[in-house]
Amino acid sequence: ENPFIYFSPSEQDYVFQGFASYYTDLNFGYNYAQMSQEDFQKVIAEAKAKSLSNYNVPVTSEDKIVTLSTCTRVHGNTNNQRFVVMAKLVPVGTPSTHSNPIAYNSSIDA
């Protein structure tokens, strides 16, 4: 229903589009900065395969990804469960689909 994540540090606004959401354990940690393009594409494919919904969002290892994780106890009373949402940065100027259209990831003053 709400496929976008809005992140607004003081210098710029960013919009990310969700492409996967899933439950996992603590073994999901990724170090994107030290990952090859091939390994990064495997992470994306794994996230999409585990996802509770198919968001029909194309994602490649060239995209900028944000991973959000929070504790959950959906599978019982243990401390090693996480709910993960993964989203990609929407390209600058991509038109929105809201009733008051804007261009995603453009300057606030534009």
Side-chain angles (χ1 to χ4, degrees):
E1 188 176 321
N2 297 300
F4 298 101
I5 298 168
Y6 300 93
F7 177 64
S8 298
S10 59
E11 66 276 357
Q12 186 173 350
D13 289 340
Y14 297 95
V15 178
F16 291 84
Q17 185 174 17
F19 67 86
S21 59
Y22 58 94
Y23 294 100
T24 190
D25 58 26
L26 292 178
N27 294 324
F28 81 95
Y30 309 119
N31 185 348
Y32 299 126
Q34 297 180 1
M35 193 176 286
S36 70
Q37 296 283 61
E38 183 178 312
D39 287 341
F40 192 35
Q41 195 61 47
K42 287 179 186 176
V43 167
I44 292 167
E46 181 181 328
K48 287 182 137 190
K50 289 181 178 179
S51 186
L52 300 172
S53 297
N54 181 353
Y55 296 94
N56 293 318
V57 175
V59 185
T60 73
S61 58
E62 299 294 320
D63 287 310
K64 299 207 183 311
I65 304 295
V66 64
T67 301
L68 306 174
S69 169
T70 190
C71 300
T72 184
R73 294 201 172 163
V74 72
H75 297 296
N77 192 13
T78 64
N79 293 325
N80 68 339
Q81 300 174 66
R82 298 295 182 265
F83 181 70
V84 176
V85 174
M86 296 180 76
K88 74 172 192 175
L89 184 65
V90 176
V92 172
T94 301
S96 74
T97 56
H98 292 93
S99 58
N100 184 11
I102 60 167
Y104 290 134
N105 293 327
S106 58
S107 171
I108 297 171
D109 298 327

